[in-house]
Coordinates of all heavy atoms in Angstrom, one line a residue:
M1 N 23.5 18.6 10.9 CA 22.2 18.1 10.5 C 21.8 16.9 11.4 O 22.6 16.0 11.6 CB 22.3 17.7 9.0 CG 20.9 17.2 8.5 SD 20.8 16.5 6.9 CE 22.1 17.0 5.9
S2 N 20.6 17.0 11.8 CA 20.1 15.9 12.7 C 19.8 14.7 11.9 O 19.6 14.7 10.7 CB 18.9 16.3 13.5 OG 17.8 16.5 12.6
I3 N 19.7 13.5 12.6 CA 19.5 12.3 11.9 C 18.1 12.2 11.2 O 18.0 11.8 10.1 CB 19.7 11.1 12.9 CG1 21.1 11.0 13.3 CG2 19.2 9.8 12.3 CD1 21.4 10.0 14.4
S4 N 17.1 12.8 11.9 CA 15.8 12.7 11.4 C 15.6 13.5 10.1 O 14.9 13.1 9.2 CB 14.7 13.1 12.4 OG 15.0 14.4 12.8
V5 N 16.3 14.7 10.0 CA 16.2 15.5 8.8 C 16.9 14.8 7.7 O 16.5 14.8 6.5 CB 16.8 16.9 9.1 CG1 17.0 17.7 7.8 CG2 16.1 17.6 10.1
G6 N 18.1 14.2 7.9 CA 18.8 13.4 6.9 C 17.9 12.2 6.4 O 17.9 12.0 5.2
I7 N 17.3 11.5 7.3 CA 16.4 10.4 6.9 C 15.3 10.9 6.0 O 15.0 10.4 5.0 CB 15.9 9.6 8.1 CG1 17.1 8.9 8.8 CG2 14.8 8.6 7.7 CD1 16.7 8.2 10.1
G8 N 14.6 12.0 6.5 CA 13.5 12.5 5.7 C 13.9 13.0 4.4 O 13.2 12.8 3.4
F9 N 15.0 13.7 4.3 CA 15.5 14.2 3.0 C 15.8 13.0 2.0 O 15.5 13.0 0.9 CB 16.7 15.1 3.2 CG 17.2 15.7 2.0 CD1 16.5 16.8 1.4 CD2 18.4 15.3 1.3 CE1 17.0 17.4 0.2 CE2 18.8 15.9 0.2 CZ 18.1 16.9 -0.4
T10 N 16.5 12.0 2.5 CA 16.9 10.9 1.7 C 15.6 10.1 1.2 O 15.6 9.7 0.1 CB 17.8 9.9 2.5 OG1 18.9 10.6 3.0 CG2 18.3 8.8 1.7
V11 N 14.6 9.9 2.1 CA 13.4 9.3 1.7 C 12.7 10.1 0.7 O 12.2 9.5 -0.3 CB 12.5 9.0 2.9 CG1 11.1 8.6 2.5 CG2 13.1 8.0 3.8
M12 N 12.6 11.4 0.8 CA 12.0 12.3 -0.2 C 12.7 12.2 -1.5 O 12.0 12.0 -2.6 CB 12.0 13.7 0.3 CG 11.4 14.7 -0.6 SD 11.7 16.4 -0.2 CE 13.4 16.5 -0.5
I13 N 14.0 12.2 -1.6 CA 14.8 12.1 -2.8 C 14.5 10.8 -3.5 O 14.2 10.7 -4.7 CB 16.2 12.3 -2.6 CG1 16.5 13.7 -2.1 CG2 17.0 12.0 -3.9 CD1 16.1 14.8 -3.1
F14 N 14.6 9.7 -2.8 CA 14.4 8.3 -3.4 C 12.9 8.1 -3.9 O 12.7 7.6 -4.9 CB 14.8 7.2 -2.4 CG 16.2 7.0 -2.3 CD1 16.8 6.7 -1.0 CD2 17.1 7.2 -3.3 CE1 18.1 6.5 -0.9 CE2 18.5 7.0 -3.2 CZ 19.0 6.7 -2.0
S15 N 12.0 8.7 -3.1 CA 10.6 8.5 -3.4 C 10.3 9.3 -4.7 O 9.5 8.9 -5.6 CB 9.7 9.0 -2.3 OG 9.8 8.2 -1.2
L16 N 10.8 10.5 -4.8 CA 10.6 11.3 -6.0 C 11.2 10.7 -7.2 O 10.6 10.7 -8.3 CB 11.2 12.7 -5.8 CG 10.4 13.7 -4.9 CD1 11.2 15.0 -4.7 CD2 9.1 14.0 -5.5
F17 N 12.4 10.1 -7.0 CA 13.1 9.5 -8.2 C 12.3 8.3 -8.7 O 11.9 8.2 -9.9 CB 14.5 9.1 -7.8 CG 15.3 8.4 -8.9 CD1 15.7 9.1 -9.9 CD2 15.5 7.0 -8.8 CE1 16.5 8.5 -10.9 CE2 16.2 6.4 -9.8 CZ 16.7 7.1 -10.9
F18 N 12.0 7.3 -7.8 CA 11.4 6.1 -8.2 C 9.9 6.3 -8.6 O 9.4 5.7 -9.5 CB 11.5 5.0 -7.1 CG 12.9 4.5 -7.0 CD1 13.6 4.7 -5.8 CD2 13.6 3.8 -8.0 CE1 14.9 4.3 -5.7 CE2 14.9 3.4 -7.9 CZ 15.6 3.6 -6.7
G19 N 9.2 7.1 -7.8 CA 7.8 7.4 -8.1 C 7.6 8.1 -9.4 O 6.7 7.8 -10.2
T20 N 8.5 9.0 -9.7 CA 8.4 9.7 -11.0 C 8.7 8.8 -12.2 O 8.0 8.8 -13.2 CB 9.4 10.9 -11.1 OG1 9.1 11.8 -10.0 CG2 9.3 11.7 -12.4
I21 N 9.7 7.9 -12.0 CA 10.0 6.9 -13.1 C 8.8 6.0 -13.3 O 8.3 5.8 -14.4 CB 11.2 6.1 -12.7 CG1 12.5 7.0 -12.9 CG2 11.4 4.9 -13.7 CD1 13.8 6.4 -12.5
L22 N 8.2 5.4 -12.2 CA 7.1 4.6 -12.4 C 5.9 5.3 -13.0 O 5.2 4.7 -13.8 CB 6.7 3.9 -11.1 CG 7.6 2.8 -10.6 CD1 7.3 2.4 -9.2 CD2 7.6 1.6 -11.5
G23 N 5.6 6.5 -12.5 CA 4.5 7.2 -13.0 C 4.7 7.6 -14.5 O 3.7 7.6 -15.3
A24 N 5.9 8.0 -14.9 CA 6.1 8.3 -16.3 C 6.0 7.1 -17.1 O 5.3 7.2 -18.2 CB 7.5 8.9 -16.4
L25 N 6.5 6.0 -16.7 CA 6.3 4.8 -17.5 C 4.8 4.4 -17.7 O 4.3 4.0 -18.7 CB 7.0 3.6 -16.9 CG 8.5 3.6 -16.9 CD1 9.2 2.5 -16.1 CD2 9.0 3.5 -18.4
S26 N 4.1 4.5 -16.6 CA 2.7 4.2 -16.5 C 1.9 5.1 -17.4 O 1.0 4.7 -18.2 CB 2.1 4.2 -15.1 OG 0.8 3.9 -15.1
G27 N 2.1 6.4 -17.3 CA 1.3 7.4 -18.0 C 1.7 7.4 -19.5 O 0.9 7.7 -20.4
F28 N 3.0 7.2 -19.8 CA 3.5 7.3 -21.2 C 3.0 6.1 -22.0 O 2.5 6.3 -23.1 CB 5.0 7.5 -21.2 CG 5.5 7.6 -22.6 CD1 5.4 8.9 -23.3 CD2 6.2 6.6 -23.2 CE1 5.9 9.0 -24.5 CE2 6.7 6.8 -24.5 CZ 6.6 8.0 -25.1
F29 N 3.3 4.9 -21.5 CA 2.9 3.7 -22.3 C 1.4 3.3 -22.2 O 0.9 2.9 -23.2 CB 3.8 2.5 -21.8 CG 5.2 2.7 -22.2 CD1 6.2 2.8 -21.2 CD2 5.6 2.7 -23.5 CE1 7.5 3.0 -21.6 CE2 6.9 2.8 -23.9 CZ 7.9 3.0 -22.9
G30 N 0.8 3.6 -21.0 CA -0.6 3.2 -20.9 C -0.9 1.8 -21.1 O 0.0 0.9 -21.0
G31 N -2.1 1.4 -21.3 CA -2.5 0.0 -21.7 C -2.1 -0.9 -20.6 O -2.4 -0.7 -19.4
T32 N -1.5 -2.0 -20.9 CA -1.1 -3.1 -20.0 C -0.1 -2.6 -19.0 O -0.2 -3.0 -17.8 CB -0.6 -4.3 -20.8 OG1 -1.5 -4.7 -21.8 CG2 -0.3 -5.5 -19.9
T33 N 0.8 -1.9 -19.4 CA 1.9 -1.3 -18.5 C 1.2 -0.5 -17.4 O 1.6 -0.7 -16.2 CB 2.9 -0.5 -19.3 OG1 3.4 -1.3 -20.3 CG2 4.0 0.0 -18.4
D34 N 0.3 0.3 -17.8 CA -0.4 1.2 -16.8 C -1.2 0.3 -15.9 O -1.2 0.5 -14.6 CB -1.3 2.2 -17.6 CG -2.1 3.1 -16.6 OD1 -1.5 3.4 -15.5 OD2 -3.2 3.5 -17.0
K35 N -1.9 -0.7 -16.4 CA -2.7 -1.6 -15.5 C -1.8 -2.3 -14.5 O -2.2 -2.4 -13.3 CB -3.5 -2.5 -16.3 CG -4.6 -1.9 -17.1 CD -5.4 -2.9 -17.9 CE -6.5 -2.3 -18.7 NZ -7.2 -3.2 -19.6
I36 N -0.7 -2.9 -14.9 CA 0.2 -3.6 -14.0 C 0.7 -2.7 -13.0 O 0.7 -3.1 -11.8 CB 1.3 -4.3 -14.8 CG1 0.7 -5.4 -15.7 CG2 2.3 -4.9 -13.9 CD1 1.7 -6.0 -16.7
I37 N 1.3 -1.6 -13.3 CA 1.9 -0.7 -12.4 C 0.8 -0.1 -11.4 O 1.0 -0.1 -10.2 CB 2.7 0.4 -13.1 CG1 3.9 -0.1 -13.8 CG2 3.1 1.5 -12.0 CD1 4.6 0.8 -14.6
S38 N -0.3 0.2 -11.9 CA -1.4 0.8 -11.1 C -1.9 -0.3 -10.1 O -2.2 0.0 -8.9 CB -2.5 1.3 -12.0 OG -2.1 2.4 -12.7
K39 N -2.1 -1.5 -10.5 CA -2.6 -2.6 -9.6 C -1.5 -2.9 -8.5 O -1.9 -3.1 -7.4 CB -2.9 -3.9 -10.4 CG -4.0 -3.8 -11.3 CD -5.3 -3.5 -10.6 CE -6.4 -3.3 -11.6 NZ -7.7 -2.9 -11.0
L40 N -0.2 -2.9 -8.9 CA 0.8 -3.1 -7.9 C 0.8 -2.0 -6.8 O 0.9 -2.2 -5.6 CB 2.2 -3.2 -8.6 CG 2.4 -4.5 -9.3 CD1 3.7 -4.5 -10.1 CD2 2.4 -5.7 -8.4
T41 N 0.7 -0.7 -7.3 CA 0.7 0.4 -6.4 C -0.6 0.4 -5.5 O -0.6 0.8 -4.3 CB 0.9 1.7 -7.0 OG1 0.0 1.9 -8.1 CG2 2.3 1.8 -7.6
D42 N -1.7 0.1 -6.1 CA -3.0 0.0 -5.3 C -2.9 -1.1 -4.3 O -3.4 -0.9 -3.1 CB -4.2 -0.3 -6.3 CG -4.5 0.9 -7.1 OD1 -4.1 2.0 -6.8 OD2 -5.2 0.7 -8.1
T43 N -2.3 -2.2 -4.6 CA -2.1 -3.3 -3.6 C -1.2 -2.8 -2.5 O -1.5 -3.0 -1.3 CB -1.5 -4.5 -4.3 OG1 -2.3 -4.9 -5.4 CG2 -1.3 -5.6 -3.3
Q44 N -0.1 -2.1 -2.8 CA 0.8 -1.6 -1.8 C 0.2 -0.6 -1.0 O 0.4 -0.5 0.3 CB 2.1 -1.1 -2.5 CG 3.3 -0.9 -1.5 CD 3.2 0.5 -0.9 OE1 2.8 1.4 -1.5 NE2 3.7 0.5 0.3
M45 N -0.7 0.3 -1.5 CA -1.4 1.3 -0.8 C -2.4 0.8 0.2 O -2.8 1.4 1.2 CB -1.9 2.4 -1.7 CG -0.9 3.3 -2.3 SD -1.6 4.5 -3.4 CE -2.3 5.6 -2.2
S46 N -3.0 -0.4 -0.2 CA -4.0 -1.0 0.7 C -3.4 -1.6 2.0 O -4.1 -1.8 2.9 CB -4.8 -2.0 -0.1 OG -4.0 -3.2 -0.3
F47 N -2.1 -1.8 2.0 CA -1.5 -2.4 3.1 C -1.0 -1.2 4.0 O -0.4 -0.3 3.5 CB -0.3 -3.2 2.6 CG 0.4 -4.1 3.7 CD1 -0.3 -5.3 4.1 CD2 1.6 -3.8 4.3 CE1 0.2 -6.1 5.0 CE2 2.1 -4.6 5.2 CZ 1.5 -5.7 5.6
P48 N -1.3 -1.3 5.3 CA -0.8 -0.2 6.2 C 0.7 0.0 6.2 O 1.4 -1.0 6.3 CB -1.3 -0.6 7.6 CG -2.4 -1.7 7.3 CD -2.0 -2.3 6.0
G49 N 1.1 1.2 6.0 CA 2.5 1.5 5.8 C 3.3 1.2 7.0 O 4.5 0.7 7.0
I50 N 2.8 1.5 8.2 CA 3.6 1.3 9.4 C 3.8 -0.2 9.7 O 4.8 -0.6 10.2 CB 2.9 2.0 10.7 CG1 3.8 2.0 11.9 CG2 1.6 1.3 11.0 CD1 4.9 2.9 11.7
L51 N 2.8 -1.0 9.3 CA 3.1 -2.5 9.4 C 4.1 -3.0 8.4 O 4.9 -3.9 8.8 CB 1.8 -3.2 9.1 CG 0.7 -3.1 10.2 CD1 -0.6 -3.9 9.8 CD2 1.2 -3.6 11.6
L52 N 4.2 -2.4 7.2 CA 5.2 -2.7 6.3 C 6.6 -2.4 6.8 O 7.5 -3.2 6.7 CB 5.0 -2.1 4.9 CG 6.0 -2.3 3.9 CD1 6.0 -3.8 3.5 CD2 5.8 -1.4 2.7
A53 N 6.7 -1.2 7.4 CA 7.9 -0.7 8.0 C 8.4 -1.6 9.1 O 9.5 -2.0 9.2 CB 7.8 0.7 8.4
L54 N 7.4 -1.9 10.0 CA 7.8 -2.8 11.1 C 8.2 -4.2 10.7 O 9.1 -4.8 11.3 CB 6.6 -2.9 12.1 CG 6.3 -1.6 12.9 CD1 5.0 -1.8 13.7 CD2 7.4 -1.3 13.9
M55 N 7.5 -4.7 9.7 CA 7.8 -6.0 9.2 C 9.2 -6.0 8.6 O 10.0 -7.0 8.8 CB 6.8 -6.5 8.1 CG 7.0 -7.8 7.5 SD 5.9 -8.3 6.3 CE 6.3 -7.1 5.0
L56 N 9.6 -5.1 7.8 CA 10.9 -5.0 7.2 C 12.0 -4.9 8.2 O 13.1 -5.5 8.1 CB 11.0 -3.9 6.2 CG 10.3 -4.1 4.8 CD1 10.3 -2.8 4.0 CD2 10.9 -5.2 4.1
I57 N 11.8 -4.1 9.2 CA 12.7 -3.9 10.3 C 12.9 -5.2 11.1 O 14.0 -5.5 11.5 CB 12.4 -2.6 11.1 CG1 12.6 -1.4 10.3 CG2 13.2 -2.6 12.4 CD1 12.1 -0.1 10.9
A58 N 11.8 -5.8 11.3 CA 11.8 -7.1 12.1 C 12.5 -8.2 11.3 O 13.2 -9.0 11.9 CB 10.4 -7.5 12.5
I59 N 12.3 -8.3 10.0 CA 12.9 -9.3 9.2 C 14.4 -9.1 9.0 O 15.2 -10.0 9.2 CB 12.2 -9.4 7.9 CG1 10.8 -10.0 8.0 CG2 13.0 -10.3 6.9 CD1 10.0 -10.0 6.8
F60 N 14.8 -7.9 8.7 CA 16.2 -7.7 8.4 C 17.0 -7.2 9.6 O 17.6 -8.0 10.3 CB 16.3 -6.6 7.2 CG 15.7 -7.2 5.9 CD1 14.5 -6.7 5.4 CD2 16.3 -8.2 5.2 CE1 14.0 -7.1 4.3 CE2 15.8 -8.7 4.1 CZ 14.6 -8.2 3.6
D61 N 17.1 -5.9 9.8 CA 17.9 -5.4 10.8 C 17.4 -4.1 11.3 O 16.6 -3.4 10.6 CB 19.4 -5.3 10.3 CG 20.4 -5.0 11.4 OD1 20.0 -5.2 12.6 OD2 21.5 -4.6 11.0
T62 N 17.7 -3.7 12.5 CA 17.3 -2.3 12.9 C 18.4 -1.3 12.6 O 19.1 -0.8 13.4 CB 17.1 -2.4 14.4 OG1 18.3 -2.8 15.1 CG2 15.9 -3.3 14.8
S63 N 18.5 -1.0 11.3 CA 19.4 0.0 10.8 C 18.7 1.1 10.1 O 17.6 1.0 9.7 CB 20.5 -0.6 9.9 OG 19.9 -1.0 8.7
I64 N 19.4 2.2 10.0 CA 18.8 3.4 9.3 C 18.6 3.1 7.9 O 17.6 3.6 7.3 CB 19.8 4.6 9.5 CG1 19.8 5.0 11.0 CG2 19.4 5.8 8.7 CD1 20.6 6.2 11.4
K65 N 19.4 2.3 7.2 CA 19.3 1.9 5.8 C 18.0 1.2 5.6 O 17.2 1.6 4.7 CB 20.4 1.0 5.4 CG 20.4 0.8 3.9 CD 21.4 -0.2 3.3 CE 22.7 -0.4 4.1 NZ 23.6 -1.3 3.5
I66 N 17.6 0.3 6.4 CA 16.3 -0.5 6.3 C 15.2 0.5 6.6 O 14.1 0.4 5.9 CB 16.3 -1.7 7.3 CG1 17.4 -2.7 6.9 CG2 14.9 -2.4 7.2 CD1 17.3 -3.2 5.5
L67 N 15.3 1.4 7.5 CA 14.3 2.4 7.8 C 14.0 3.3 6.6 O 12.9 3.5 6.2 CB 14.6 3.2 9.0 CG 13.6 4.3 9.4 CD1 12.3 3.8 9.8 CD2 14.2 5.2 10.4
I68 N 15.1 3.7 5.9 CA 14.9 4.5 4.7 C 14.3 3.8 3.6 O 13.4 4.3 2.9 CB 16.3 5.1 4.3 CG1 16.8 6.1 5.3 CG2 16.3 5.6 2.9 CD1 18.2 6.6 5.1
I69 N 14.6 2.5 3.4 CA 14.0 1.6 2.4 C 12.5 1.5 2.7 O 11.7 1.6 1.8 CB 14.7 0.3 2.3 CG1 16.1 0.5 1.7 CG2 13.9 -0.7 1.4 CD1 17.0 -0.7 1.8
A70 N 12.2 1.2 3.9 CA 10.8 1.0 4.3 C 9.9 2.2 4.1 O 8.9 2.2 3.5 CB 10.7 0.5 5.7
L71 N 10.5 3.4 4.5 CA 9.7 4.6 4.3 C 9.6 5.0 2.8 O 8.6 5.6 2.4 CB 10.4 5.8 5.1 CG 10.3 5.6 6.7 CD1 11.1 6.7 7.4 CD2 8.8 5.7 7.1
T72 N 10.6 4.7 2.1 CA 10.6 5.0 0.6 C 9.5 4.2 0.0 O 8.8 4.7 -0.9 CB 12.0 4.7 0.0 OG1 13.0 5.6 0.6 CG2 12.0 5.0 -1.5
I73 N 9.4 2.9 0.3 CA 8.4 2.0 -0.3 C 7.0 2.5 0.0 O 6.1 2.5 -0.8 CB 8.6 0.6 0.2 CG1 9.9 0.0 -0.4 CG2 7.4 -0.3 -0.2 CD1 10.3 -1.4 0.1
I74 N 6.9 3.0 1.2 CA 5.6 3.6 1.6 C 5.2 4.8 0.9 O 4.1 5.0 0.5 CB 5.6 3.9 3.2 CG1 5.7 2.6 4.0 CG2 4.3 4.6 3.6 CD1 6.0 2.9 5.4
S75 N 6.2 5.6 0.5 CA 6.0 6.9 -0.1 C 5.9 6.9 -1.6 O 5.3 7.9 -2.2 CB 7.1 7.9 0.3 OG 7.1 8.0 1.7
I76 N 6.4 5.9 -2.3 CA 6.4 5.9 -3.7 C 5.1 6.0 -4.4 O 4.9 6.7 -5.3 CB 7.2 4.6 -4.2 CG1 8.7 4.8 -4.0 CG2 6.9 4.3 -5.7 CD1 9.5 3.6 -4.3
P77 N 4.0 5.2 -3.9 CA 2.7 5.3 -4.7 C 2.1 6.7 -4.7 O 1.5 7.0 -5.8 CB 1.8 4.3 -3.9 CG 2.8 3.4 -3.2 CD 4.0 4.2 -2.9
R78 N 2.3 7.5 -3.7 CA 1.7 8.9 -3.8 C 2.4 9.7 -4.9 O 1.7 10.4 -5.7 CB 1.8 9.5 -2.5 CG 1.0 8.9 -1.4 CD 1.2 9.5 0.0 NE 0.5 8.8 1.0 CZ 1.0 7.7 1.6 NH1 2.2 7.2 1.3 NH2 0.3 7.1 2.6
V79 N 3.7 9.6 -5.0 CA 4.4 10.3 -6.0 C 4.1 9.8 -7.4 O 3.9 10.5 -8.3 CB 5.9 10.3 -5.7 CG1 6.7 11.0 -6.8 CG2 6.2 10.9 -4.4
M80 N 4.0 8.4 -7.5 CA 3.7 7.8 -8.7 C 2.3 8.2 -9.3 O 2.2 8.5 -10.5 CB 3.7 6.3 -8.5 CG 3.9 5.5 -9.8 SD 2.5 4.5 -10.5 CE 1.1 4.8 -9.7
S81 N 1.3 8.3 -8.4 CA 0.0 8.7 -8.9 C 0.0 10.1 -9.4 O -0.6 10.4 -10.5 CB -1.0 8.5 -7.8 OG -0.8 9.3 -6.8
L82 N 0.7 11.0 -8.8 CA 0.8 12.4 -9.3 C 1.6 12.5 -10.6 O 1.2 13.2 -11.5 CB 1.5 13.3 -8.2 CG 0.7 13.5 -6.9 CD1 1.6 14.3 -5.9 CD2 -0.6 14.3 -7.3
S83 N 2.6 11.7 -10.7 CA 3.4 11.7 -11.9 C 2.6 11.1 -13.1 O 2.7 11.5 -14.2 CB 4.7 11.0 -11.7 OG 5.5 10.9 -12.9
R84 N 1.9 10.1 -12.8 CA 1.1 9.4 -13.8 C 0.0 10.3 -14.4 O -0.2 10.3 -15.6 CB 0.4 8.1 -13.2 CG -0.4 7.4 -14.2 CD -1.1 6.2 -13.5 NE -2.2 5.7 -14.4 CZ -3.4 6.2 -14.5 NH1 -3.7 7.3 -13.8 NH2 -4.3 5.7 -15.3
I85 N -0.6 11.1 -13.5 CA -1.7 12.0 -13.9 C -1.1 13.0 -14.9 O -1.6 13.4 -15.9 CB -2.4 12.6 -12.7 CG1 -3.2 11.6 -12.0 CG2 -3.2 13.8 -13.2 CD1 -3.8 12.0 -10.7
S86 N 0.1 13.6 -14.5 CA 0.7 14.6 -15.3 C 1.2 14.1 -16.7 O 1.2 14.8 -17.6 CB 1.8 15.3 -14.6 OG 2.9 14.4 -14.4
W87 N 1.6 12.8 -16.8 CA 2.0 12.3 -18.0 C 0.9 11.8 -18.9 O 1.0 11.8 -20.1 CB 2.9 11.1 -17.8 CG 4.4 11.5 -17.6 CD1 5.0 11.8 -16.5 CD2 5.3 11.6 -18.6 NE1 6.3 12.1 -16.7 CE2 6.6 12.0 -18.0 CE3 5.3 11.5 -20.0 CZ2 7.7 12.3 -18.7 CZ3 6.5 11.7 -20.7 CH2 7.7 12.1 -20.1
S88 N -0.3 11.5 -18.3 CA -1.4 11.0 -19.2 C -2.2 12.1 -19.7 O -3.1 11.9 -20.6 CB -2.3 10.1 -18.3 OG -2.8 10.8 -17.2
I89 N -2.0 13.4 -19.3 CA -2.8 14.5 -19.8 C -2.3 14.9 -21.2 O -1.3 14.9 -21.6 CB -2.7 15.7 -18.9 CG1 -3.4 15.3 -17.6 CG2 -3.3 16.9 -19.5 CD1 -3.4 16.4 -16.5

């Protein structure tokens, strides 16, 4: 397996896991919990993802682990919004 496929698969798994949990919490509880989680993800989505990834890599280290964390953070809000919609219906 090539390195890029492994990184992509790992990012996808972590994004699905954390995004689904956040979306389920937001959609199930609603109210203040939904507002807080939604505002945090809206704030994160307004920041360009590539700049976040470059910043994390520049601050910490140039390792595959940091790259996976940065790409996962970028991908979580998309999964969270889909999961939130399905839980709030």
Side-chain angles (χ1 to χ4, degrees):
M1 178 184 342
S2 68
I3 294 174
S4 60
V5 172
I7 291 172
F9 185 75
T10 306
V11 168
M12 180 191 65
I13 294 296
F14 286 143
S15 297
L16 285 173
F17 179 74
F18 292 114
T20 303
I21 288 175
L22 285 174
L25 288 173
S26 180
F28 184 73
F29 290 113
T32 306
T33 306
D34 181 30
K35 288 180 185 177
I36 291 171
I37 293 174
S38 294
K39 294 295 178 189
L40 288 173
T41 55
D42 288 343
T43 303
Q44 195 272 327
M45 286 181 73
S46 69
F47 194 74
I50 192 71
L51 289 179
L52 177 67
L54 288 173
M55 182 182 66
L56 286 174
I57 290 172
I59 289 174
F60 294 109
D61 190 15
T62 56
S63 69
I64 293 178
K65 186 187 332 181
I66 298 299
L67 177 66
I68 290 172
I69 291 170
L71 292 174
T72 300
I73 290 171
I74 293 168
S75 303
I76 285 175
R78 291 175 188 86
V79 176
M80 199 247 14
S81 63
L82 290 172
S83 177
R84 180 186 166 275
I85 290 170
S86 65
W87 272 89
S88 61
I89 293 178

